[in-house]
Structure formats: structure tokens, C-alpha cells
Amino acid sequence: YNSAIEEGYCRINPVKSKTAKPHKGTKGTRRCLTDEEIKLIETTPDKMQVVAMFMLKAGLRRGEVLALQKSDIHDDRIYITKAVQFGNNQASIGRTKTESSVRSVPLFAPSKPFVKDIGKYAFTNKKGELASKKVFEYGWSAYMKTLSQEAKHNISFRCHDLRHTFITKCRDAGIDIHIR
């Protein structure tokens, strides 16, 4: 946080705040993917590859990409106005995480070939409907196994690690992460 404050990305260190609370999300690595892992995502065909590419190359959150439809992509932009939410394992379309999460982001070249692979949504169950949380988790686990087999060693990362990677790559390339 100190370097982020110095570079103007944030004004305060929220961890040092007296009102700071522990993260509510799943515990995990909170890391950037390696070049090998990125290459595997880019080159290993899988039903989950579409989801991974939009998280990795556009910084979408899991719920945002699961709600993604072809109609949300036009004029070389991805318009994020909704997200999938899970309640009692069932998926439903709802609001984005915050008001500022409603945004549009560029459709970068690496993601363009995957637009054609979006059915009704970016990832669906066998009936073509929104997948339940368990179906998504099963699909994600199977995807990690596929990537591990391709790499010939264990590959494991969280969905949100793809977003971390995207934002870090943007920062490292000198892209202002505050641009909408």
C-alpha cells in the first residue's frame, strides 16, 4: 500500500484503519498468475476457457463474466451492468458488486476470438441456462485438472487471481487503472 499511495493509486492504507475488517471472501493465494499459467489459459481449449479469458484479459469478476452475453459486447467494448449471484446454490442475475462496478471496458484483441463461444451466457449448464454454484465449481475444478495435465504438474489458482493478474499487468504496462 505504501508504494500505491506514493504512486497515487490510493490515498490511505485501509489495513491500518481502525475500522478495517477481515476479508469476507474465500481464502486463497491472492496472487498473479505465472507466464506459464497465462499461456496455458490462452492455448488450452476447454468450456471454461471463455470464462478464464474474460477474467484474465478484461479483469471481469466471476459473477460479471457468468452474466456476460453477446449483446453486452459491441463497439469493441464490454458493457458490464449485471452479475450472477448465488443463493442456496442457485444462480440468478442481479446487480454488480457496487454501483461503480457498472462500467464498460475495452474488448482487447486476445478476448475477441472468444466472443463467438458465448452462448446464452459465457458459462451455462447442460440445458444452456445459468449454472448453479456447484456446477460452476465442478467445471472450474475440471479446468484446473485439464491445465495440470497439459502442464504435467499441478496447476491451481482462484478465479479472482485472474483479475489480480489483469490489473497488475495493466499497472506494469503504465495503464492508468482509474480510466473507465
Side-chain angles (χ1 to χ4, degrees):
Y1 278 103
N2 291 337
S3 65
I5 292 168
E6 289 171 12
E7 294 178 26
Y9 291 113
C10 60
R11 291 180 299 215
I12 62 164
N13 180 342
V15 177
K16 291 185 176 179
S17 167
K18 291 179 182 179
T19 59
K21 295 178 181 149
H23 188 272
K24 292 181 186 177
T26 58
K27 294 186 188 281
T29 58
R30 290 172 178 67
R31 67 178 181 90
C32 290
L33 274 58
T34 65
D35 290 340
E36 177 199 21
E37 291 166 329
I38 292 169
K39 188 73 170 166
L40 284 168
I41 292 168
E42 293 171 340
T43 61
T44 306
D46 189 273
K47 183 179 179 182
M48 194 62 75
Q49 185 183 24
V50 175
V51 171
M53 284 296 291
F54 279 99
M55 288 189 282
L56 179 63
K57 301 297 182 177
L60 273 60
R61 294 178 177 93
R62 179 187 67 181
E64 294 167 349
V65 74
L66 292 179
L68 187 64
Q69 298 176 291
K70 282 184 187 173
S71 61
D72 297 326
I73 303 171
H74 50 88
D75 304 323
D76 280 340
R77 295 197 69 80
I78 303 168
Y79 293 86
I80 302 150
T81 60
K82 59 194 179 293
V84 165
Q85 298 164 350
F86 294 110
N88 293 329
N89 189 40
Q90 296 305 306
S92 63
I93 299 290
R95 303 169 108 179
T96 57
K97 184 176 178 180
T98 65
E99 281 184 34
S100 62
S101 296
V102 174
R103 64 199 187 282
S104 72
V105 296
L107 177 64
F108 293 114
S111 300
K112 287 182 182 184
F114 295 92
V115 173
K116 68 177 176 30
D117 297 325
I118 299 173
K120 185 173 181 182
Y121 295 102
F123 182 82
T124 60
N125 62 20
K126 290 179 182 177
K127 295 178 182 177
E129 301 165 347
L130 289 173
S132 68
K133 186 174 185 181
K134 287 203 183 291
V135 167
F136 177 80
E137 288 171 349
Y138 177 80
W140 189 258
S141 177
Y143 186 49
M144 291 299 106
K145 287 179 186 174
T146 298
L147 295 179
S148 296
Q149 289 170 347
E150 189 71 24
K152 297 182 178 32
H153 62 85
N154 188 45
I155 297 288
S156 180
F157 50 83
R158 300 173 318 118
C159 292
H160 208 70
D161 293 336
L162 298 164
R163 182 172 164 82
H164 282 272
T165 303
F166 172 77
I167 292 169
T168 300
K169 294 277 186 190
C170 287
R171 184 205 61 205
D172 292 350
I175 297 170
D176 183 351
I177 61 173
H178 300 291
I179 293 176
R180 290 180 149 271

